[in-house]
Amino acid sequence: MWKYIVKRLLWMIPVLLGIAVVIFTIMYFCPGDPAASILGNGATPAALEAKRAEMGLDKPYIVRLLNYLNQVFLHFDLGDSYFTNQSVMSGILYRMPYTITIAVICMLLQILIGTPLGITAATHQNGLADRFCMIVALLGVSIPGFWLAMMMVILFAAKLNWLPAYGVGGIQYYILPCIANAFAGIASQARQTRSSMLEVIRSDYVVTARAKGLSERDILYKHALPNGLIPIITVIGNGMGMMLGGTVVIESVFSIPGIGSFTTKAINNRDYPIVMGGVLFLGAIFSLIMLIVDIVYAYVDPRIKAQYEGQQKSWKRRKK
């Protein structure tokens, strides 16, 4: 199993390399001039040219791309901000706890709310509970996160004055942003859990367990749910990536100093090193999350673990 983990970690290198190339290319062809943003509208053409040369923006695309890849992957340096001259990596690490806190809370909400909703819907198929759960799921996948966030700020912060509208502090500061960011994930989790459970509870072994006189609770949680976990775990992993991506908007709405708002401000200021560093950092975290999901697969489904072990034994035989 550990050889598979090492192999997946090595595969992260070309994935991150691809992300770096794509985001660099997007920033290169993106309209706007960082030198003009720094010097202002009154800068002369000569001053702009000198500033571009100082920042290395006058070089051809391929030269700048190779320099950036060399800087990131060989020297592990994300560069410095165009405006503050501070290290991008230090800025990301400073803001990382806020983003990770939001993403983890959202993931827990997705699991603890979405999974029971899906199970309830599956066990009460076509009933009132099923319809209610699916209406909640439909709203979740239909309502944009930024719109829900602003409506919640108007209602719970401005009108009712129950919760703070912006900033960071105690747990009360994370309630509104986490609910707004997790609502779509909860909906996806409920829909996938319902679909997976409906497929499993019709299986022969569930019918046999029911015929033996086992309680519905034991049948559901000891037989049906463990065998339907693979698609559910996949949604959890994808949902974590969605939560990380959603922080770009949610942190801006609630003025949370995380990686998302850090990147958004950098986009507005044409601060390309921060934008590229933030995207690359979030891509690395998501790649690690998907690796963890694959490892969890092996411990949930013995067949997948046996497949990994079989590949390792076959590799050892070929080596001999």
Side-chain angles (χ1 to χ4, degrees), residues 61-241:
Y61 164 78
I62 189 65
V63 174
R64 289 175 56 188
L65 175 61
L66 292 177
N67 289 339
Y68 180 71
L69 295 179
N70 173 70
Q71 173 184 294
V72 172
F73 291 95
L74 295 183
H75 296 88
F76 305 103
D77 181 13
L78 295 178
D80 298 328
S81 168
Y82 285 161
F83 287 82
T84 63
N85 292 322
Q86 295 181 349
S87 169
V88 174
M89 179 61 76
S90 63
I92 289 175
L93 292 178
Y94 173 76
R95 292 163 175 80
M96 183 178 67
Y98 300 109
T99 299
I100 297 299
T101 299
I102 292 175
V104 169
I105 294 175
C106 290
M107 184 186 67
L108 292 176
L109 291 175
Q110 175 180 331
I111 296 171
L112 297 178
I113 299 177
T115 304
L117 281 176
I119 294 174
T120 302
T123 54
H124 297 80
Q125 186 181 11
N126 299 325
L128 185 61
D130 183 16
R131 291 189 176 92
F132 172 77
C133 294
M134 288 304 98
I135 288 174
V136 173
L138 179 62
L139 291 174
V141 299
S142 303
I143 298 176
F146 71 91
W147 183 86
L148 178 62
M150 290 187 290
M151 293 302 103
M152 293 176 68
V153 167
I154 293 173
L155 177 60
F156 295 106
K159 298 291 185 181
L160 299 177
N161 199 27
W162 288 355
L163 295 167
Y166 60 90
V168 291
I171 190 64
Q172 69 272 18
Y173 286 86
Y174 290 97
I175 294 176
L176 293 182
C178 288
I179 292 175
N181 196 29
F183 196 33
I186 292 171
S188 299
Q189 183 79 12
R191 289 163 64 90
Q192 182 59 62
T193 303
R194 179 183 184 274
S195 176
S196 181
M197 291 299 295
L198 284 175
E199 182 179 350
V200 170
I201 60 179
R202 297 190 183 105
S203 302
D204 292 339
Y205 62 85
V206 173
V207 176
T208 302
R210 189 173 286 113
K212 288 181 177 180
L214 294 178
S215 67
E216 288 296 323
R217 182 181 180 83
D218 288 340
I219 293 172
L220 184 63
Y221 291 102
K222 293 183 179 180
H223 296 276
L225 184 58
N227 287 283
L229 277 179
I230 293 296
I232 297 173
I233 293 172
T234 303
V235 174
I236 293 174
N238 292 332
M240 187 64 177

Side-chain angles (χ1 to χ4, degrees), residues 284-306:
I285 294 178
F286 183 65
S287 298
L288 288 174
I289 291 170
M290 297 313 296
L291 172 61
I292 294 172
V293 168
D294 286 346
I295 295 172
V296 173
Y297 283 164
Y299 288 96
V300 169
D301 193 336
R303 295 171 296 180
I304 298 177
K305 187 175 183 180

